[in-house]
Amino acid sequence: MPETTAGIEYTKVAEIKGPLMVIDGITKASFDELVEIETSEGERRLGKVLEVGFGKAVVQVFEGTTGLTITGTKAKFLGKTMEMPVSQELLGRVFDGLGRPNDGLPDPIADKFLDVNGEPMNPERREYPTSFIQTGVSVIDGMLTLVRGQKLPIFSGSGMPHNILAAQIARQAAVVGTKEDFAVVFAAIGVQYSEAQYFKRSLEESGALRRSVLFLNLADDPAIERIITPRVALTVAEYLAYDLGMHVLAILTDMTNYAEALREISAAREEVPGRKGYPGYLYTDLANNYERAGRIKGKDGSVTQVPILSMPADDITHPIPDLTGYITEGQIVLGRDLFRKGVYPPVNVLMSLSRLMKDGVGEGKTRSDHMEVGNQLYDLYSRAQEVRALAEIVGRAGLTGTDLKYLDAGDMFENYFLKQAADENRNLEETLGRAWEVLSTLPEGELTKIKDKHVKQYYKGSK
Amino acid sequence: MSSNSALERTINKVLSKKETELISQIDAAYQESLKNIEDSKSKLEAERTKIIESAKKQAENLKRQIVGSSRLNARNKELLMLENDVNEAFEKAKARLMSSGKEESYKSLMTRIIEDSLPTVGSDEVVIECNKNDSELVKKILAESTKKSRIKTKISDQPINVIGGVRVKSADNTMTFDNTLDSRIERLKPLIRKNVARMLRGTAGEEE
Amino acid sequence: MVVKGRIVWVSGPAVKADGMSAAKMYETVEVGDSKLIGEVIRLTGDIAFIQVYESTSGLKPGEPVVGTGQPLSVLLGPGIIGRIYDGIQRPLDEIAQKSGAFIGRGIQTTPVDMKKKFHFVPSMKKGDVVGPGSILGVVDETQLLKHSILVPPYHAKDAKLVDIVAEGDYDLEQVIATSEKDGVKVPLKMYHKWPVRKPRPYAERYDPTVPLVTGQRVIDTYFPIAKGGTGAIPGGFGTGKTVTMHQIAKWADSKVVVYIGCGERGNEMTEVLVEFPHLIDPRSGRPLMERTVLVANTSNMPVAAREASIYTGVTMAEYYRDMGFDVVLVADSTSRWAEALREMSGRLEEMPAEEGYPSYLASRLAEFYERAGRVRALGSPDRAGSVTLVGAVSPSGADFTEPVTTHTIRFIKTFWALDTRLAYSRHYPSINWMQSYSGYLEDVSKWWKENVSPEWYELRSESYHILQREDTLKEIVRLLGPEALPDEEKLVLEVARMIKIGILQQNSFDKVDTYCGPEKQVKLVKLMVKFFKEAQKALKSEVSLTEIRAMPIITQLLKAKFEIPEEQLQKLQDLDKELDEQFRKLSAGGSKTEEVKVVA
């Protein structure tokens, strides 16, 4: 809540380096406090306290320090941490990366003001996510099931269609058996205008803009602002979910830009770096964002997170995808090979995983054979890939009959199961039907991951 | 004759055979074309359904889009109108505050403001700024309360353009504490806006 | 004297305060007006460096710091089991009652319900000699656990019991006994406190010789860990570290399980909380929660408390060890704990070693793993207990040469290497059988021979040998294709595949497959080895490999792990007969066209 006590304004700037400003003569300032900076030209910027001691405070300036001067710059300490005004009215609105209106409309009239850093959710009060979300995308529903309250990122690379996939998920996502629509919170973090625009248009065309909140920090917006963008977005997502009881899908793109902003600050602070120059606390910092997904016991809403990040040089061992993978509940990895082959969505299923699938599928939730079918498909495609590699060396002649069957099944998997149109919405029955058609091209004895009773019920091939 | 007739019979036979063959061929061709027509008809049918389906889908999308954006636009207009009303209410409130300078309650407010502000800056020597009308009042308050504070005070001879309250600066001008009524209103604005909006909206409630 | 200082500097979880010359190292302090809990981690002149266990947002220089005079300690007594604590033993359910679904700050709690009454049955009487670790009596902590009330380790030796209460219901604050030595009377209650950074003492250390049976085939059969031993599970993300940790916590045959979620996902802790009360321990028939303690410091909770959580957990584990129980502690993940060390070290501007980790990383890891062991506890009656430590390691980029992994390897004896490639091909648990090892193999083989099967060691070796041969053959296959190999070697590949699918792979989410008892493990391995031998014989008697590959018994063997539950192990006997029968028909010839009946 805004306090009635005013902040003190200081003018003794000791140092400006990178995104940081060191202010001297500080008598009253607290850690994490919000700072309003006024340049000598009267322009206002926001910052926050990173470090504070007697007489000195280190302030990180969100909109960058370009144009700031040692003399003539004023810094007002506002006596509160960064807050986001929230209310139902936020739906349908567009904000900048710091949560200020960007659509020509006035500041939202707040129901309350929430600290954008949020607080850690008590694991004891979490409700374990188990409700299946049908995305209408076969490879996700069949093998990488998304559940309400999950955080499932898309690992992509430059030029790949992660935005198209994320937009398709946002348009089609539905909890089977309910009429509830998802509210969408979209945070663009340092992405190009066209990408953000694509997403906005997609929401508009499906009539979903009305239940969406957009935060846009574009490629030419201040980089340090990106530290805040996911935080304001997730603060709103939590409010919509836990105060208003909505099911929220939060899409954050691109988290790589976020991590780079973090690295910039760390370098300016001359901290000891971890891998590839990223700060040692990158894991904790990412976790503070990603862990803001979930469900709470006794509350209706949920926050499902789909962060998108581009892997530098398609390298999954790069610290950003690596640490993300350790925090999120699985990952959807897009593959360059499939993309080149023209397969959409180009999901590299073997590298992808949904950790919560086991809890969202099966008897009473989807279908009793769902998990086994998913496992068998993985097995099939993994074998097919092995055989493909082998066939390149020894040719088809060097393969056994069973190997050849796997080779063909692998092709069918890609073209009949994986591949679909960006506006094609397949229901689960169709997805599993297609899966069984692919599996039925293998001899029955190969289905070692499926219980006999399910083989009997669904297998259509010859023995 | 007989040989002729035999020949003729053979020819006839051949001809009739050819004829039936031809007929059956023609018939087959006819049947085939019929089937083709039938096929293309069903293909056309499927094509047609597909087109209709997709058109329906598009129409559905369009409808959703139109309904969605028109509702959104209406809501946004409402927000703008509300904002105007809120601002108007603020201006009126400020104007009222301007004229309230002489009230006795203002003196006790000013006393509190000054007493809070002096230690906050944390400097031993401070300069106090206020508007033209208040400088006498500030002097009076300071005179009454100097004993309690060891902070040296000076009133700036440059009046500032505010509704009321004071701005306290350290003597070296490195610290400023803005405790004017203007800045207080500014800080409280988000809270007040909510209340004003609620009053303006009356019981109409929120969208949907 | 109470230390009173004031904050002079704040940077994230690190706070400096002056006026602290009387403070002690590792003393717990209250920081700021909101009384955040912190711990002194360095003293320089009158400046103390403090790591704060809660978010320091809003903390100001000038606010007070007040010492408690006590090091960071845990409360040990009945009421711990079944609870979920944060990194400094605050019950999360109580925090939730006070601050709702999100964790607030400065919340005061007690680790256990001090008013709850337990039925105490004394096992000593007035006049008995008592000393550190003596058992005064027992209470039923849960239906599974008889909790011994221990005389604290810091109690005087050879004291005399001058008073002890009769059997009855008492709460934790009531004095249940009084000891006396040299005229000094000491009141004893059902709990005591112990500083977490100090290992609890014991009388004598034993060699670990009994395996910790986990019901996981690749662990128990191929890379076993002993009770009181140490093990590490390193693996990149998605390789199933946490699932493996959960499996050990669920099915290990220990009396108590301490599960530390250190810097990991919130939902994983919730999963344990939701699942364990409903899972039934196969040995006792009681819910698993009745033997489990959780310590949760998830990745988004304050980083300093993450550092403490490991010590909080292991101290509780030692406490139950001292009662004579086998305790398993799983810590997921020690890498996050190491990162917390790194973060604090960085804030204190210490000189970093590799990848920014402090130079004392190795010694801290060694100290932690050294707290494992099978011991004779202090005091009477004589009893042995053990703490088995299993730590997950999350190497960045799945690179096993990074500092936390390399240092950990030096201090553990069982190494379960998780393999990203196996995980990509959905081979779970993705424990790489060529890279992993166990230093307890010889030690525990006696137990297997005496309790399960005399052939255990041979069967393990023979089946492992097949996997080793496959590993070398794979190189050739990669170059020339499988058809280039002679039939006998193709058979090795085939059987290795069967062992991989039928033995090594285990589905944790399948009701039957999730736990595989020792007997079933041995029998499955035996069937695979037998199949290999029979097939070798068949090949020699002119049966073609194609015919062998087409044998229906193969699929049956591969599915036996989940189609045959623990209580129907006799079906494995039927499978054995079926195997004989099918090979008999093969070598008799003409079996190719015959439909072979499938045994359910």
Side-chain angles (χ1 to χ4, degrees):
Chain A
M1 295 299 268
E3 291 175 30
T4 47
T5 53
I8 305 179
E9 191 174 271
Y10 298 90
T11 54
K12 238 182 170 173
V13 178
E15 196 183 352
I16 300 170
K17 52 175 178 182
L20 305 181
M21 200 167 95
V22 182
I23 300 161
D24 265 353
I26 300 283
T27 52
K28 276 205 173 80
S30 57
F31 178 66
D32 239 5
E33 189 171 346
L34 191 64
V35 183
E36 189 181 80
I37 295 142
E38 200 182 321
T39 67
S40 42
E41 276 99 46
E43 186 201 332
R44 284 180 184 207
R45 299 184 191 177
L46 285 176
K48 76 166 195 181
V49 176
L50 285 186
E51 202 177 309
V52 57
F54 271 123
K56 189 179 128 177
V58 180
V59 175
Q60 153 195 328
V61 186
F62 295 129
E63 290 114 314
T65 48
T66 317
L68 288 190
T69 48
I70 295 275
T71 52
T73 298
K74 294 176 198 161
K76 190 189 230 172
F77 288 66
L78 300 181
K80 60 175 182 185
T81 53
M82 180 127 184
E83 288 167 337
M84 177 73 198
V86 290
S87 73
Q88 190 176 13
E89 269 173 26
L90 263 51
L91 293 168
R93 299 283 313 261
V94 184
F95 300 92
D96 73 0
L98 290 178
R100 297 172 300 201
N102 195 13
D103 50 6
L105 293 174
D107 282 342
I109 288 166
D111 175 31
K112 41 168 132 168
F113 293 83
L114 297 175
D115 184 338
V116 300
N117 292 308
E119 278 174 331
M121 203 191 280
N122 190 329
E124 201 266 339
R125 281 297 167 98
R126 275 182 187 269
E127 175 89 46
Y128 195 68
T130 52
S131 322
F132 169 68
I133 298 174
Q134 181 177 298
T135 65
V137 180
S138 283
V139 63
I140 297 178
D141 294 349
M143 303 171 75
L144 299 163
T145 305
L146 182 65
V147 299
R148 274 199 303 217
Q150 185 174 13
K151 39 194 181 289
L152 188 63
I154 299 176
F155 288 6
S156 185
S158 53
M160 288 203 276
H162 44 263
N163 287 321
I164 300 178
L165 181 59
Q168 186 174 11
I169 295 171
R171 278 195 314 270
Q172 297 179 173
V175 176
V176 179
T178 68
K179 285 263 173 238
E180 293 169 87
D181 276 329
F182 277 88
V184 178
V185 172
F186 175 75
I189 308 163
V191 301
Q192 281 166 4
Y193 174 76
S194 58
E195 286 183 64
Q197 210 51 31
Y198 169 82
F199 209 90
K200 192 180 165 196
R201 210 175 41 242
S202 158
L203 289 174
E204 218 161 28
E205 281 168 6
S206 59
L209 200 58
R210 215 159 47 88
R211 43 185 172 86
S212 306
V213 190
L214 278 64
F215 294 88
L216 306 180
N217 168 289
L218 301 180
D220 54 354
D221 285 332
I224 304 306
E225 203 176 283
R226 290 169 199 160
I227 302 285
I228 294 299
T229 312
R231 291 187 162 83
V232 281
L234 292 167
T235 302
V236 170
E238 284 175 345
Y239 171 77
L240 295 176
Y242 310 131
D243 282 51
L244 303 185
M246 306 176 87
H247 294 294
V248 183
L249 185 68
I251 294 172
L252 316 169
T253 178
D254 174 331
M255 287 304 282
T256 299
N257 295 330
Y258 170 84
E260 268 156 18
L262 212 59
R263 177 166 68 173
E264 199 180 325
I265 293 164
S266 175
R269 294 180 75 184
E270 291 164 19
E271 290 170 337
V272 178
R275 282 164 80 95
K276 297 215 166 156
Y278 290 94
Y281 48 80
L282 180 60
Y283 175 84
T284 305
D285 192 280
L286 286 172
N288 278 323
N289 289 303
Y290 295 144
E291 277 288 325
R292 293 174 81 175
R295 308 191 57 184
I296 294 177
K297 276 185 206 163
K299 302 221 177 191
D300 291 331
S302 63
V303 177
T304 307
Q305 247 192 62
V306 179
I308 297 170
L309 58 88
S310 50
M311 298 181 280
D314 290 355
D315 176 12
I316 199 168
T317 68
H318 183 281
I320 301 169
D322 187 51
L323 296 179
T324 298
Y326 275 120
I327 305 161
T328 53
E329 283 135 359
Q331 68 278 343
I332 297 171
V333 183
L334 301 191
R336 191 67 69 186
D337 286 352
L338 287 165
F339 176 58
R340 288 208 187 101
K341 273 198 208 169
V343 175
Y344 173 87
V347 175
N348 179 333
V349 291
L350 299 184
M351 292 176 96
S352 303
L353 168 75
S354 168
R355 291 170 193 272
L356 301 186
M357 176 172 179
K358 62 180 168 56
D359 309 294
V361 304
E363 194 102 53
K365 291 168 189 159
T366 55
R367 223 170 74 176
S368 58
D369 61 325
H370 193 161
M371 194 71 214
E372 293 167 18
V373 167
N375 286 339
Q376 194 69 56
L377 280 178
Y378 274 118
D379 193 72
L380 177 151
Y381 194 57
S382 153
R383 280 281 293 277
Q385 292 287 65
E386 270 174 45
V387 177
R388 270 183 193 172
L390 200 59
E392 273 177 27
I393 302 164
V394 301
R396 285 179 80 98
L399 301 176
T400 64
T402 314
D403 284 350
L404 288 170
K405 286 219 164 87
Y406 271 101
L407 205 57
D408 295 339
D411 290 340
M412 183 172 173
F413 171 81
E414 283 175 8
N415 295 317
Y416 187 68
F417 181 80
L418 181 58
K419 192 173 184 172
Q420 73 183 83
D423 62 351
E424 187 182 353
N425 194 349
R426 293 184 192 154
N427 65 29
L428 186 69
E429 279 301 314
E430 185 181 352
T431 289
L432 292 180
R434 282 174 184 253
W436 273 106
E437 281 181 61
V438 177
L439 292 177
S440 296
T441 62
L442 294 178
E444 193 182 333
E446 291 294 313
L447 305 186
T448 55
K449 308 226 167 187
I450 302 181
K451 293 227 163 84
D452 291 340
K453 61 172 181 181
H454 293 136
V455 175
K456 267 193 202 111
Q457 195 175 349
Y458 297 107
Y459 183 72
K460 297 190 210 70
S462 52
K463 297 219 163 180
Chain B
M1 259 316 269
S2 71
S3 64
N4 264 357
S5 65
L7 184 70
E8 214 145 276
R9 266 207 311 278
T10 314
I11 290 170
N12 277 340
K13 210 172 166 186
V14 170
L15 277 179
S16 92
K17 202 179 169 192
K18 257 285 167 272
E19 196 185 87
T20 30
E21 239 172 59
L22 268 173
I23 288 170
S24 84
Q25 267 176 24
I26 291 167
D27 191 51
Y30 177 72
Q31 289 299 335
E32 196 176 319
S33 56
L34 263 187
K35 195 175 160 264
N36 280 345
I37 292 170
E38 201 57 39
D39 269 6
S40 48
K41 204 173 139 194
S42 64
K43 252 186 216 159
L44 270 175
E45 197 73 33
E47 199 70 19
R48 196 175 137 246
T49 343
K50 223 168 137 189
I51 291 169
I52 291 174
E53 283 286 307
S54 105
K56 261 190 195 162
K57 216 164 143 189
Q58 264 182 9
E60 186 65 29
N61 278 347
L62 209 62
K63 193 179 139 202
R64 257 192 304 195
Q65 188 183 345
I66 292 167
V67 170
S69 48
S70 63
R71 279 206 204 169
L72 199 55
N73 285 338
R75 202 277 313 261
N76 289 350
K77 280 212 183 92
E78 191 207 325
L79 287 183
L80 280 170
M81 271 156 58
L82 186 68
E83 185 67 10
N84 277 338
D85 295 348
V86 169
N87 283 339
E88 215 168 284
F90 262 100
E91 290 313 314
K92 278 186 186 150
K94 275 191 191 171
R96 273 233 329 250
L97 272 174
M98 280 281 221
S99 60
S100 69
K102 277 151 200 90
E103 286 171 20
E104 181 56 26
S105 61
Y106 182 65
K107 189 192 166 190
S108 63
L109 175 68
M110 266 305 247
T111 314
R112 233 180 324 129
I113 285 178
I114 291 170
E115 279 171 1
D116 282 351
S117 305
L118 294 187
T120 303
V121 177
S123 180
D124 295 339
E125 231 181 303
V126 297
V127 179
I128 298 174
E129 297 175 325
C130 60
N131 70 23
K132 221 166 34 189
N133 300 337
D134 286 347
S135 77
E136 281 310 307
L137 179 64
V138 173
K139 252 179 227 165
K140 208 167 132 196
I141 292 170
L142 283 174
E144 283 166 16
S145 66
T146 1
K147 289 155 214 156
K148 289 176 234 160
S149 165
R150 277 178 299 155
I151 301 167
K152 263 198 212 164
T153 54
K154 192 185 132 193
I155 298 173
S156 168
D157 41 15
Q158 302 271 328
I160 50 173
N161 183 25
V162 293
I163 302 170
V166 296
R167 200 152 71 189
V168 183
K169 286 185 164 179
S170 62
D172 63 356
N173 207 18
T174 59
M175 275 181 267
T176 310
F177 182 59
D178 192 342
N179 213 353
T180 57
L181 292 187
D182 307 59
S183 74
R184 287 194 149 201
I185 290 170
E186 211 48 47
R187 282 196 302 277
L188 283 174
K189 202 169 175 182
L191 280 185
I192 302 171
R193 279 176 77 218
K194 180 182 167 186
N195 294 331
V196 174
R198 193 176 286 159
M199 279 187 271
L200 287 172
R201 270 181 176 152
T203 49
E206 302 192 305
E207 191 213 18
E208 283 176 88
Chain C
M1 192 194 82
V2 180
V3 181
K4 268 193 178 159
R6 68 178 182 150
I7 298 174
V8 294
W9 176 80
V10 187
S11 169
V15 166
K16 265 193 249 179
D18 65 7
M20 298 290 289
S21 51
K24 287 183 285 220
M25 256 320 250
Y26 298 121
E27 179 173 345
T28 308
V29 291
E30 288 174 349
V31 180
D33 296 327
S34 42
K35 297 190 170 172
L36 308 179
I37 301 168
E39 186 184 17
V40 175
I41 53 172
R42 196 209 284 173
L43 287 164
T44 318
D46 78 332
I47 303 269
F49 286 79
I50 298 157
Q51 62 176 357
V52 182
Y53 293 129
E54 303 178 72
S55 163
T56 54
S57 188
L59 211 58
K60 278 199 269 303
E63 287 187 36
V65 173
V66 182
T68 64
Q70 297 294 319
L72 185 65
S73 302
V74 287
L75 187 151
L76 301 167
I80 292 175
I81 297 287
R83 298 297 292 267
I84 176 167
Y85 293 109
D86 75 353
I88 49 173
Q89 214 198 11
R90 291 184 300 181
L92 284 173
D93 51 353
E94 226 180 289
I95 291 181
Q97 275 163 23
K98 290 184 176 161
S99 78
F102 295 90
I103 298 174
R105 294 188 294 164
I107 296 167
Q108 309 284 330
T109 60
T110 47
V112 296
D113 183 355
M114 305 303 276
K115 289 275 160 275
K116 187 177 172 188
K117 286 200 186 317
F118 287 94
H119 189 76
F120 176 74
V121 183
S123 54
M124 288 187 123
K125 57 185 193 304
K126 222 164 147 175
D128 283 351
V129 175
V130 289
S134 302
I135 295 178
L136 293 171
V138 291
V139 302
D140 285 327
E141 183 168 6
T142 67
Q143 291 210 39
L144 263 186
L145 201 101
K146 286 223 180 294
H147 185 120
S148 302
I149 303 301
L150 301 178
V151 174
Y154 49 75
H155 188 276
K157 281 181 193 163
D158 304 324
K160 215 165 91 188
L161 203 61
V162 292
D163 194 19
I164 186 160
V165 292
E167 178 177 342
D169 295 342
Y170 303 93
D171 69 31
L172 266 63
E173 288 296 13
Q174 281 173 290
V175 173
I176 51 153
T178 309
S179 70
E180 185 182 340
K181 188 182 183 183
D182 305 331
V184 182
K185 281 192 176 173
V186 178
L188 297 165
K189 295 178 181 177
M190 286 201 280
Y191 76 93
H192 62 270
K193 288 189 174 184
W194 187 261
V196 295
R197 295 185 194 277
K198 193 171 164 190
R200 285 173 64 88
Y202 48 83
E204 187 188 352
R205 240 182 142 105
Y206 296 131
D207 279 338
T209 52
V210 178
L212 180 81
V213 176
T214 65
Q216 311 304 301
R217 290 182 291 269
V218 60
I219 293 180
D220 295 348
T221 299
Y222 293 99
F223 310 106
I225 186 168
K227 284 181 174 136
T230 51
I233 309 182
F237 68 82
T239 50
K241 266 186 316 298
T242 300
V243 177
T244 311
M245 296 299 252
H246 278 195
Q247 287 300 94
I248 293 174
K250 279 177 197 168
W251 308 123
D253 61 339
S254 67
K255 193 79 180 171
V256 175
V257 172
V258 180
Y259 191 105
I260 307 175
C262 177
E264 292 289 304
R265 305 174 182 93
N267 274 334
E268 281 166 6
M269 300 315 292
T270 312
E271 185 180 4
V272 175
L273 278 177
V274 171
E275 213 181 352
F276 278 32
H278 302 291
L279 284 176
I280 302 300
D281 181 356
R283 283 162 285 264
S284 65
R286 299 290 311 169
L288 287 175
M289 208 59 206
E290 290 185 9
R291 64 166 203 181
T292 310
V293 191
L294 299 175
V295 179
N297 195 266
T298 56
S299 56
N300 55 340
M301 281 158 78
V303 70
R306 198 189 293 171
E307 196 267 337
S309 65
I310 291 274
Y311 298 101
T312 297
V314 75
T315 308
M316 292 195 282
E318 286 172 341
Y319 174 61
Y320 285 97
R321 172 202 71 188
D322 291 346
M323 293 174 203
F325 296 142
D326 292 315
V327 185
V328 169
L329 178 141
V330 289
D332 185 12
S333 152
T334 57
S335 292
R336 305 304 162 215
W337 166 79
E339 278 168 14
L341 274 188
R342 173 168 72 179
E343 185 168 344
M344 289 316 297
S345 166
R347 305 254 184 201
L348 302 185
E349 294 172 355
E350 290 172 340
M351 184 68 99
E354 315 120 286
E355 289 192 22
Y357 287 103
S359 51
Y360 46 79
L361 171 67
S363 57
R364 291 283 168 87
L365 277 168
E367 279 163 25
F368 168 64
Y369 283 110
E370 199 51 32
R371 290 175 81 164
R374 202 167 145 256
V375 304
R376 181 162 66 80
L378 290 177
S380 61
D382 240 18
R383 60 203 184 266
S386 69
V387 172
T388 310
L389 290 185
V390 179
V393 185
S394 320
S396 32
D399 170 13
F400 286 4
T401 64
E402 59 88 45
V404 184
T405 316
T406 49
H407 288 309
T408 301
I409 288 173
R410 292 161 55 198
F411 311 119
I412 49 105
K413 273 184 86 177
T414 309
F415 185 68
W416 297 293
L418 299 186
D419 186 334
T420 312
R421 279 213 326 251
L422 286 176
Y424 285 166
S425 63
R426 279 358 186 227
H427 176 114
Y428 284 126
S430 66
I431 294 175
N432 182 308
W433 51 95
M434 289 287 119
Q435 264 179 297
S436 304
Y437 58 81
S438 165
Y440 301 106
L441 192 58
E442 310 293 329
D443 303 333
V444 301
S445 67
K446 186 161 166 256
W447 181 91
W448 278 90
K449 273 179 199 162
E450 283 169 5
N451 292 281
V452 188
S453 159
E455 301 164 286
W456 180 76
Y457 194 80
E458 286 71 31
L459 287 172
R460 184 211 175 264
S461 303
E462 280 176 78
S463 56
Y464 191 64
H465 186 59
I466 297 172
L467 292 169
Q468 281 174 316
R469 279 183 68 191
E470 187 236 11
D471 196 56
T472 35
L473 288 174
K474 263 197 324 208
E475 289 304 312
I476 303 172
V477 172
R478 219 168 272 144
L479 293 173
L480 303 171
E483 291 307 299
L485 296 175
D487 277 358
E488 202 187 316
E489 292 187 332
K490 276 188 216 155
L491 179 68
V492 173
L493 294 187
E494 181 65 24
V495 178
R497 189 181 74 91
M498 289 168 63
I499 295 174
K500 283 190 267 179
I501 298 175
I503 309 279
L504 299 179
Q505 289 182 16
Q506 189 165 356
N507 186 352
S508 320
F509 310 124
D510 182 89
K511 254 193 205 138
V512 173
D513 202 21
T514 183
Y515 175 82
C516 185
E519 198 187 335
K520 186 173 163 189
Q521 294 191 28
V522 171
K523 287 192 166 150
L524 283 174
V525 175
K526 196 173 173 180
L527 280 169
M528 295 292 178
V529 172
K530 184 170 181 183
F531 178 88
F532 182 59
K533 287 181 176 163
E534 291 296 323
Q536 275 180 321
K537 265 192 248 164
L539 274 183
K540 281 195 184 114
S541 59
E542 305 295 306
V543 175
S544 79
L545 186 65
T546 319
E547 287 172 285
I548 294 173
R549 275 190 183 137
M551 289 173 77
I553 187 75
I554 295 179
T555 313
Q556 288 172 278
L557 286 176
L558 298 185
K559 289 190 174 186
K561 60 178 182 179
F562 60 76
E563 295 282 7
I564 299 178
E566 287 293 317
E567 58 278 7
Q568 296 172 19
L569 289 188
Q570 76 283 355
K571 283 194 177 168
L572 287 168
Q573 236 59 54
D574 302 342
L575 217 52
D576 186 66
K577 277 194 206 117
E578 180 65 26
L579 191 148
D580 286 338
E581 179 63 17
Q582 288 191 21
F583 271 109
R584 197 187 51 75
K585 280 188 184 159
L586 256 195
S587 47
S591 65
K592 284 163 253 174
T593 49
E594 237 173 88
E595 183 77 18
V596 181
K597 281 240 173 76
V598 177
V599 178

